[in-house]
Amino acid sequence: MYPSDFEYAAPTTVQEALELLRQNPEAKVLAGGHSLLPAMRIRLMSPPLLVDIGKLSELKGVRADGGVAIGALTTYHDLEASSELAQRLPVLVECASNVGDPQVRNRGTIGGSIAHADPAADMPAVVLALGAEMKVVGPNGERTISADDFFVDMLQTALEPGELLTEITVPPMPEQMGAAYEKFKHPASGYAIVGVAVMVHRGADGNVSDCRIAVTGAGPRAQRARAAEDALKSGMDVAEAAARASDGLEYIGDISASEEYRANLVRVLTKRALTRAMEQLR
Amino acid sequence: MEISVTVNGKTYRHNVPPRLLLVHYLREQLNLTGAHVGCDTSQCGACVVDVNAQSVKSCTMLAVQADGAQVTTIEGLATNGAYHPMQESFWEMHGLQCGFCTPGMIMSATALLQRNSNPTDAEIRHALEGNLCRCTGYENIVKAVRHAAQQGRAGSNGSMHQGAKPEVPESAEELEHPRRDDGVPEKPETVGDWEGENAGVDETTPMGQGGM
Ligand SMILES: Cc1cc2nc3c(=O)[nH]c(=O)nc-3n(C[C@H](O)[C@H](O)[C@H](O)COP(=O)(O)OP(=O)(O)OC[C@H]3O[C@@H](n4cnc5c(N)ncnc54)[C@H](O)[C@@H]3O)c2cc1C
Ligand code: FES
Ligand code: FES
C-alpha cells in the first residue's frame, strides 16, 4: 500500500533539520527508512512531514576517539565494513551482519534502530551491553544519555520531541575485554525472538571485574540481566550465572514464543554469549 | 517535487509526490515493470534494484530519495540484446518457476558476485536472505548463482546461449515505444506532472492501478 500524503524536506545541515522539527512537532525524522516506511505503508504512522536526514554526512561514519564514536546515520553495511570496528569492537560487526538482509543493511542505520527502539531489534542490546552513550542535539542544545537511561518502553526512548540522535559513543575498553552477541532469529522476519549481548572485563587479579549483559526480544525494551551480571562478578562460573539470566526481566509472550520459552532462550543464549566472550580474554 | 534520476543509463526528470515509492515510479512512470511488488512488509525482495551501486528494496525507498541517483533495474542487465551471465545461469539451472521473484533474485545475486566473486553456498544463501521464493525451494537458485560465479571465474562472459535474446517483437509497429538499437525498449524522456496525470484517483492506489 501507499503511505498517506506527506511533505518532504531534505535539510543539508543539522541546524536546518532541528529548525524543521521545531516548526513541525508532528514531523518524523527519516533515516534509512526501514522501520518508518514499512510502518507508513501499512498506515500505522502517517506523519505530515518527513525530515530526511540522509544528506547530513557529518552523521555518518566510525571514528576512534579513545573509545569509538559512531555517527547515527552509519548504516549496518558501513559497520560491517569498518576496519576500525573489526579491530576494536568486533561484536558490533557481528551484530550488524546479522540484521535483516543485505538490502536492509544497505539502508538501515544504527541511529534509526536505537531511536526506533523496536522491542526485537538487535542494536539496542549491544549498545546497552557496551555501556554506550547517546549524543543528542535538540532545541535546548546538546546532551548525552546513557544507554541505561535511553530505552524507556516499547518504541519509546528518552529522546524528547524535536531531538536528533547524532552519535553513539562507546567508552575506551580495557585490554582484557570480551564481548559477544547471540541471537535466536525469527525465521520469517529475521528479527530477534531473543538476543543477548554480553561484555566482560577481567582485572589484573584474573577475576571478572566488570560484566554487562543486555537482552532484547524478551520484553518491551532492551534490558539488563543484572542477576546474571552479579553472579558472574561474584565469582560464579558461566553456567551458574547464565542460569540466573532470566531472573527479574519483563516478558511479553506472543504467537511466536511464550514468556516461558523466551525466558529459557535468555538463559541459553546468555550461556553461549558468555562462553564466547570469556574465550576472548587472554 | 521535481526529481532527476538516471535509470539504466538514461536520465529522466519527473514531478512526483513525496509518497511515491521508488518501485512505483519505476513500474508506472517509466514502464519498467521488471521490479515487482510482492509484499507490504519490505520482506520479499521482488523489488530489488541497484541504487548508486547498492542493492536496495525499491519498495522501501521514496522516489524523491533517488533524486540524483543512478539506478539499475533488471531491464538494464542485458547488453546488446544478450542476457547477463546471471540471467543465463538462471535459465540454464532452472532457477525459476513462476518467475515472480526472479528479477529481485537476479539483482541480489549480481550484487553478491560484485563483492564476492567466489561465494560458498552458505554465503549465497546468506546474501539471498532478503529474497523470498514461493516456488523453487531455493535449491536451483543457489545452483544458478554458483554456476554464474563459475562462469565468471572461467573468464567467459556467460554466453551459453549464443546470441540468445530476450524475445521481442521485431517490427516498429508492434512496439508501444521505440527500441534502442540493442533491442531494449526505450521510453522517451519526458517531464511528466504526476499530480496532473493522476488527479483524483483512489487514495490507496494513486497510480490508478490496484492489486498489490
Ligand atoms: C525486512 C526487514 C528486516 C529487518 N530485520 C531486522 C533485524 O533482524 N534486526 C533489527 O534490529 N532490525 C531489523 N529491521 C529494522 C532495521 O534494522 C531498521 O533499519 C532500523 O530498525 C531502523 O533504522 P532506519 O535507519 O531504517 O530508521 P528509520 O526507519 O528511518 O527511522 C526509524 C525511527 O527512528 C527515528 N529516527 C531515525 N534516525 C533518527 C535520529 N538520528 N534521531 C532521532 N530519531 C531518529 C525515525 O523518526 C523513526 O521514528 C528490519 C527491517 C526490515 C524492513
Ligand atoms: S515488495 Fe519490496 S520487499 Fe516485497
Ligand atoms: S519462481 Fe515463483 S516465486 Fe520464485
Side-chain angles (χ1 to χ4, degrees), chain B:
Chain B
M1 235 187 105
E2 171 123 341
I3 58 168
S4 159
V5 190
T6 304
V7 183
N8 302 333
K10 201 166 156 44
T11 302
Y12 302 87
R13 291 176 163 281
H14 286 107
N15 202 354
V16 299
R19 66 167 166 163
L20 184 68
L21 301 172
L22 178 59
V23 70
H24 292 125
Y25 175 70
L26 295 171
R27 289 177 57 81
E28 287 153 33
Q29 184 79 347
L30 304 189
N31 236 1
L32 295 170
T33 54
H36 295 159
V37 179
C39 73
D40 258 344
T41 51
S42 307
Q43 283 175 316
C44 76
C47 62
V48 169
V49 302
D50 281 2
V51 175
N52 293 334
Q54 266 202 333
S55 185
V56 306
K57 291 178 171 173
S58 59
C59 72
T60 315
M61 187 169 170
L62 305 170
V64 291
Q65 289 179 291
D67 184 27
Q70 300 272 345
V71 178
T72 306
T73 70
I74 186 79
E75 288 91 343
L77 287 192
T79 43
N80 298 322
Y83 282 133
H84 183 278
M86 189 63 76
Q87 293 174 302
E88 296 251 6
S89 292
F90 269 68
W91 178 354
E92 189 74 7
M93 294 291 133
H94 305 281
L96 61 145
Q97 288 178 21
C98 80
F100 191 85
C101 69
T102 312
M105 284 288 178
I106 289 179
M107 292 309 291
S108 292
T110 53
L112 165 67
L113 293 197
Q114 267 153 26
R115 45 176 210 274
N116 177 358
S117 61
N118 187 16
T120 62
D121 281 10
E123 285 167 339
I124 294 171
R125 288 177 186 274
H126 188 53
L128 296 179
E129 272 175 3
N131 295 82
L132 303 182
C133 175
R134 298 301 297 264
C135 301
T136 63
Y138 302 98
E139 286 300 322
N140 286 355
I141 292 175
V142 175
K143 270 188 210 159
V145 181
R146 197 194 306 140
H147 186 259
Q150 281 159 358
Q151 293 291 315
R153 283 199 305 286
S156 138
N157 56 13
S159 271
M160 291 160 283
H161 303 278
Q162 279 301 330
K165 277 195 180 189
E167 269 188 30
V168 294
E170 289 303 327
S171 75
E173 294 77 48
E174 293 174 65
L175 299 173
E176 196 187 336
H177 301 296
R179 282 176 196 281
R180 299 196 304 235
D181 293 346
D182 57 14
V184 176
E186 180 169 320
K187 198 158 186 218
E189 202 167 324
T190 52
V191 177
D193 182 341
W194 201 275
E195 319 272 15
E197 268 176 33
N198 296 281
V201 296
D202 173 15
E203 173 70 0
T204 53
T205 54
M207 301 306 108
Q209 298 185 9
M212 306 189 346

Side-chain angles (χ1 to χ4, degrees), chain A:
Chain A
M1 202 162 76
Y2 263 76
S4 54
D5 224 353
F6 56 83
E7 301 280 314
Y8 172 87
T12 50
T13 66
V14 169
Q15 277 319 313
E16 218 184 308
L18 290 177
E19 185 54 27
L20 283 161
L21 292 173
R22 194 185 63 74
Q23 287 167 5
N24 304 276
E26 303 286 296
K28 278 268 169 201
V29 171
L30 174 66
H34 273 59
S35 290
L36 187 53
L37 294 178
M40 288 173 63
R41 280 179 79 187
I42 55 173
R43 310 261 171 122
L44 267 178
M45 288 189 199
S46 300
L49 169 70
L50 288 190
V51 178
D52 184 353
I53 58 172
K55 294 197 167 130
L56 306 182
S57 46
E58 68 260 48
L59 302 189
K60 286 180 197 159
V62 179
R63 84 196 145 76
D65 67 342
V68 173
I70 304 165
L73 212 51
T74 311
T75 61
Y76 298 113
H77 171 83
D78 293 341
L79 297 176
E80 277 181 278
S82 161
S83 51
E84 194 68 55
L85 288 182
Q87 209 200 339
R88 289 159 158 262
L89 289 170
V91 65
L92 273 168
V93 178
E94 181 194 349
C95 174
S97 62
N98 278 301
V99 171
D101 55 55
Q103 289 76 27
V104 171
R105 297 195 290 275
N106 280 343
R107 299 286 301 168
T109 67
I110 183 170
S113 174
I114 290 167
H116 190 60
D118 190 292
D122 299 301
M123 277 298 163
V126 177
V127 297
L128 186 55
L130 291 174
E133 291 192 326
M134 315 302 158
K135 255 202 194 151
V136 164
V137 50
N140 306 318
E142 265 193 16
R143 65 184 182 121
T144 300
I145 310 169
S146 79
D148 282 311
D149 298 328
F150 193 81
F151 302 104
V152 175
D153 205 344
M154 186 179 293
L155 306 176
Q156 252 191 318
T157 68
L159 277 176
E160 297 285 345
E163 280 187 331
L164 206 58
L165 173 61
T166 55
E167 200 170 70
I168 295 97
T169 55
V170 180
M173 294 288 165
E175 184 71 11
Q176 291 281 306
M177 191 278 266
Y181 180 62
E182 285 283 338
K183 169 180 184 180
F184 188 78
K185 277 190 194 190
H186 188 290
S189 78
Y191 276 94
I193 287 183
V194 169
V196 178
V198 306
M199 178 188 76
V200 288
H201 294 174
R202 187 155 61 194
D205 60 1
N207 295 324
V208 170
S209 58
D210 195 11
C211 164
R212 290 173 66 100
I213 303 175
V215 176
T216 189
R221 66 195 147 78
Q223 33 187 342
R224 301 260 304 267
R226 291 184 193 269
E229 293 176 0
D230 292 341
L232 200 72
K233 283 187 282 190
S234 76
M236 287 187 198
D237 68 17
V238 164
E240 288 173 305
R244 289 164 171 76
S246 56
D247 294 358
L249 301 185
E250 283 178 62
Y251 292 96
I252 294 181
D254 62 16
I255 50 165
S256 303
S258 65
E259 295 187 14
E260 295 74 25
Y261 186 75
R262 282 172 208 263
N264 189 56
L265 277 176
V266 170
R267 293 187 292 271
V268 170
L269 298 179
T270 301
K271 185 169 167 193
R272 288 183 193 168
L274 278 178
T275 304
R276 283 205 290 125
M278 299 290 276
E279 278 166 5
Q280 294 161 24
L281 301 173
R282 283 171 298 256

